Amino acid sequence: MDPSKILFLAAEAAPLVKVGGLGDVAGSLPKAISRLALGQPIDIRIVLPYHAAIQQKLPGLPIVASFPLYAGEVEIPVAVHQAIIDDIKWYFISGPPIPKDGEVYSIDNREDGWKFLFFSLAALEFPERIGWRPDIIHSNDWHTALTIYCLKYRKQNDPFYRKIRSVLTIHNLTFMGGGTDEAFDGFGLPPSTADDLPWWAKKMPLPLGLQAADRIVAVSPTYAQEILGPVYGCGLEGFLQHRQDRIVGIVNGLDQDSWNPAADSMLASPFSVKNLEPRLKNKRALAREFNLDDDPSIPLLILISRMDLQKGCDLAIEGLFRLQHLPWQALFLGTGNPYLEESCRELAAQLPTRVRTAMRFDGGLSRRMYAGGDILLMPSRYEPCGLAQMIAMRYGCIPVAHATGGLKDTIIDFSEKDRGTGFLFEEANAQVFAQTLQRALAIFEVRSAWSDIQKRGMAQDFSWEKSARAYSRLYQELLEEV
Ligand code: ADP
């Protein structure tokens, strides 16, 4: 049987380049899809910009295609390099708009516009040059959304493209690729003529990709619903409502080999669901490391996050302030918005015996915190999928989280008898957060109830295989429509 052919496009993919959650997804999902033992084999290939960081790791990769793109009269050369990693074909696109010494994302939207529009157009062009016709083009976020928009036009006059279907995954609707007009006009792309697309979005990569995609995936079923409303729809809710029948929600997976408390070399004391006793050693090691009271009966609260209003760090700070009368200790790990970093430091200054901060990115420390913390604070205002809560549950650290997006889909509230894996609250404000945390602190005192929640969380299946199956069903469904 001929395999289904999927071309998977992303701006980043771990372990070659990882800036955020998209890197985890692009590094794990294609691998998991290609390893599914299904009736219909899947030949999934990944295409990425040949970023400076990748050129350093994989220098001098062979070129399998080279051709020009045009920005008006100006000819811009494209080279497509190839590597095979873990039995999967990877293509890397190089050319002048992809700087040889830059970061994956620049702070200049104009520059990123040229980089990612060039990449999106080259990614659409090269399959024909190498004689490999994908059945489906799967793009991710704004950086690769225009490939799908331009596919719509290519279909009209090039038989090679006519039957290719498309999937666009939204990892975060907030980032639509604004500020990239110069490249859009420079490459001579046609603005959208869709009546229901707001005027400000007519040249924006993500909305245009959403307009053209055969299927739209949001990274959790709840987020797929939320983006249809005014609070989370970022002004596109009406437009998305018209395309509701094309939208599905699929939760991301977690790399369960990397995030495994029984085999995590960063931990003072590895542990598994069979015996949680050794877990305490991690808590005590953390207390000593941060000069906190080494008393396991005091609940240790952790927050591991980008310091961003999206993540509700301010709600956590205010909520903890309200719960000063209760015994707890807290450890904040994060970097980002200077105002929020400062607020964390202020809380630590006001509650010097019980709050510690580490305002930096530190992967090793995050692992020790998941393993030693009792409660993960995750009061995100919105959370398309979220990874931290899944890692926390896998490490026996129980989340207190806002019931939004992927948090709602991956955490079962304690009120569900014999099923609960965490504590959810409906309204993102400090008062409701504090009430819910207080509820969790009360249960913490009941040892057997607490360890039951821990064990249920640790036993959840957050594997990539589960997501891969959902994506492969979606691919199948699309192919049957042809
Ligand atoms: P987002 O992708 O929106 O930042 P997620 O919850 O999906 O949020 O993923 C965040 C990931 O980054 C988690 O793996 C979390 O442990 C990690 N992380 C966030 N901040 C830090 C930090 N300061 N140090 C180490 N890891 C961090």
Side-chain angles (χ1 to χ4, degrees), residues 239-280:
F239 165 80
L240 289 169
Q241 281 162 22
H242 291 156
R243 287 156 183 78
Q244 199 165 351
D245 56 340
R246 293 187 217 165
I247 304 179
V248 293
I250 300 179
V251 171
N252 290 332
L254 180 70
D255 182 339
Q256 300 201 120
D257 294 330
S258 164
W259 295 104
N260 178 1
D264 190 330
S265 60
M266 293 288 171
L267 308 190
S269 173
F271 58 96
S272 76
V273 68
K274 290 194 198 104
N275 181 11
L276 287 174
E277 219 28 60
R279 194 177 186 278
L280 263 192

Side-chain angles (χ1 to χ4, degrees), residues 19 41 132 136 268 282 329 426 467 471:
V19 180
W132 183 79
I136 294 173
N282 296 302
Q329 298 177 325
E426 294 293 332
S467 315
Y471 272 102

Side-chain angles (χ1 to χ4, degrees), residues 304-306 311 333-334 360-362 370 378 386-388 391:
I304 301 173
S305 172
R306 281 187 289 120
K311 298 292 182 179
L333 171 62
R360 59 177 191 269
F361 193 94
D362 187 336
Y370 288 121
M378 205 157 170
L387 202 55
I391 302 172

